[in-house]
Amino acid sequence: MALNVTYPASAGVPPDAQFQLEKGNANARVTGVHDSLLQECERDIIWYRDYFFGKPHANFLARTTPRGPMAVSIVQDGDNYKGIVRTTEGSERLTIPRDSVVIAWWRKMLGMAPTPQNVMRALSPNIPVELLKQGRDPGLPNELLAMEERQVIRSYKFGLGYLRHGQTTEEHMFSNTEDDMSVEFKEFLNFLGEKIALKGWKGYRAGLDVQNDQTGKHSVYTKWQGYEIMFHVSAYLPHTANDKQQLEKKRHIGNDIVVLVFQDGDAQFQLPTLTSRQNHVVIAVRPEGDKYVIASCYKNGVPHFHPEIPDPPHFSRDAVGRDFLLHKLVNAERASYKSPSFAPKISRTRNVLLLDVAERFSGS
């Protein structure tokens, strides 16, 4: 185990700010990318495109409900009805058999379909049918898709700390410079991505200066599975002599939700020495033969996320191992968004987007 998550009682760190170690799973396997990489909003987009968009369906909107602004879409799909219920907390994708929907006797006699209201009641008792109005504007389906697209995260920034043999603290991690980097760490940087010159860089910059080298001359970047990833490499960030805290490095890595730590040796990184409240997941990697050993810990309140760490916790130094690690990092950040620190902010953003659509289209 390369991470120590034990907090001394004298530190006075509240439980919700403490980390817990992820346990390895003997049944887990290191594989390439699988469907857990899809964000929930991406799944919603696929669901709506596959079953609703471009087909006869109905969209209903409400500015105000007990669950906040809401958008509901329903469609008949063969012998089923499908629905998607969008609220500030996320979306529910629902499917029910067609014969489970109540139809008035006279509608049956006339060969008519059930009312949309009865379909929604059958889909979920949590849909406030009486508060919803049908939006008939032909531009509404495109707007609902655009709303979900705005929530898809296409770029990620991760902190990347470096610990030499025997180093165990955040202070040690920030004390190292490019001159201190071992061959193994340089190989790991190449494993992760491409070393880029920041000056004149045109891609995703993750808050780094790309004009005057004020945040260092180089960084590590990759484009993976359609996402841009930039690493804030502690050894590349500006180093200030006689500054034990290295505030310039902490300004970037201290604001990263996920921090990756490379360790030359097997000394335990002391998690209680991390001072930033923004860091929610720490993943440690160290070389061992032709493989890497991994350990992961996350703050209380961050839900479990895939891919799981195998037991023994090794992954290979090849394309499959790289996919596994990058997948772990990306999903670590997404899981953190569901923690008490971030979930209310995500909900407020979604509230604004839903309310905007409801106000513009519910009267149409």
Side-chain angles (χ1 to χ4, degrees):
M1 183 173 69
L3 293 168
N4 175 31
V5 297
T6 303
Y7 287 77
S10 59
V13 179
D16 62 348
Q18 296 183 18
F19 286 85
Q20 58 180 312
L21 192 70
E22 179 180 349
K23 296 179 180 178
N25 183 345
N27 296 317
R29 296 290 179 267
V30 174
T31 63
V33 177
H34 49 80
D35 63 359
S36 78
L37 183 63
L38 283 174
Q39 298 166 74
E40 282 303 311
C41 49
E42 289 177 301
R43 296 175 194 271
D44 297 336
I45 291 168
I46 292 169
W47 176 270
Y48 191 67
R49 282 192 184 279
D50 286 351
Y51 296 110
F52 298 79
F53 196 76
K55 300 171 184 176
H57 72 283
N59 295 302
F60 293 83
L61 303 166
R63 298 180 181 90
T64 305
T65 77
R67 302 169 69 185
M70 181 180 289
V72 179
S73 302
I74 58 173
V75 68
Q76 183 176 338
D77 179 43
D79 292 332
N80 296 314
Y81 281 104
K82 293 185 182 296
I84 181 166
V85 182
R86 306 171 187 84
T87 69
T88 58
E89 301 305 315
S91 296
E92 299 173 86
R93 299 181 293 274
L94 306 167
T95 301
I96 56 171
R98 186 173 62 176
D99 58 13
S100 67
V101 181
V102 174
I103 308 178
W105 65 268
W106 61 269
R107 294 183 73 92
K108 285 184 180 179
M109 286 186 60
L110 296 173
M112 298 172 67
T115 64
Q117 288 73 21
N118 278 355
V119 172
M120 288 189 285
R121 289 188 182 98
L123 281 168
S124 172
N126 296 320
I127 298 176
V129 175
E130 293 76 12
L131 300 177
L132 292 160
K133 295 182 180 179
Q134 187 168 1
R136 301 182 184 277
D137 191 306
L140 179 55
N142 279 312
E143 193 62 32
L144 290 170
L145 276 177
M147 183 192 72
E148 297 291 357
E149 285 281 1
R150 291 187 190 102
Q151 297 169 81
V152 176
I153 300 170
R154 304 287 186 192
S155 53
Y156 294 86
K157 61 183 183 70
F158 302 122
L160 176 51
Y162 170 55
L163 292 170
R164 292 182 288 162
H165 283 278
Q167 294 184 327
T168 61
T169 67
E170 180 185 72
E171 184 179 322
H172 290 152
M173 183 172 73
F174 288 153
S175 71
N176 296 318
T177 68
E178 187 171 357
D179 293 336
D180 298 315
M181 289 165 48
S182 65
V183 172
E184 287 280 13
F185 183 48
K186 291 177 182 177
E187 289 177 355
F188 183 65
L189 294 181
N190 290 333
F191 175 79
L192 289 175
E194 170 191 2
K195 182 180 179 180
I196 61 159
L198 286 172
K199 197 167 189 176
W201 176 249
K202 301 299 183 184
Y204 173 59
R205 65 186 187 91
L208 297 173
D209 176 44
V210 294
Q211 295 182 337
N212 302 306
D213 289 338
Q214 291 184 359
T215 55
K217 294 184 177 181
H218 299 99
S219 194
V220 173
Y221 167 90
T222 191
K223 195 162 189 176
W224 177 77
Q225 298 293 322
Y227 304 114
E228 289 189 278
I229 298 174
M230 181 72 83
F231 292 92
H232 290 150
V233 184
S234 62
Y236 284 159
L237 291 168
H239 185 85
T240 306
N242 302 319
D243 178 9
K244 291 179 67 175
Q245 293 192 61
Q246 295 297 324
L247 293 177
E248 184 59 30
K249 297 184 181 187
K250 190 175 290 188
R251 182 166 71 90
H252 293 284
I253 296 177
N255 281 305
D256 290 325
I257 296 171
V258 180
V259 177
L260 178 62
V261 180
F262 184 87
Q263 300 170 289
D264 273 335
D266 57 3
Q268 290 185 337
F269 178 47
Q270 304 297 314
L271 262 296
T273 66
L274 278 183
T275 56
S276 172
R277 289 184 173 272
Q278 185 81 349
N279 302 150
H280 277 60
V281 179
V282 177
I283 296 175
V285 172
R286 63 177 174 83
E288 187 176 276
D290 61 349
K291 298 182 182 295
Y292 288 117
V293 180
I294 183 172
S296 171
C297 66
Y298 47 91
K299 272 189 177 177
N300 291 327
V302 176
H304 179 73
F305 55 93
H306 288 87
E308 293 183 296
I309 289 180
D311 185 13
H314 298 144
F315 65 93
S316 55
R317 304 190 191 195
D318 57 16
V320 173
R322 180 175 183 269
D323 280 344
F324 165 78
L325 180 58
L326 294 178
H327 194 168
K328 187 73 175 172
L329 291 167
V330 167
N331 277 3
E333 179 157 325
R334 293 174 180 173
S336 298
Y337 292 146
K338 299 176 183 178
S339 72
S341 300
F342 297 104
K345 301 172 187 175
I346 302 295
S347 180
R348 286 196 294 271
T349 299
R350 192 170 171 87
N351 184 86
V352 169
L353 294 173
L354 272 170
L355 186 59
D356 175 63
V357 172
E359 287 179 341
R360 288 191 290 123
F361 290 93
S362 60
S364 57

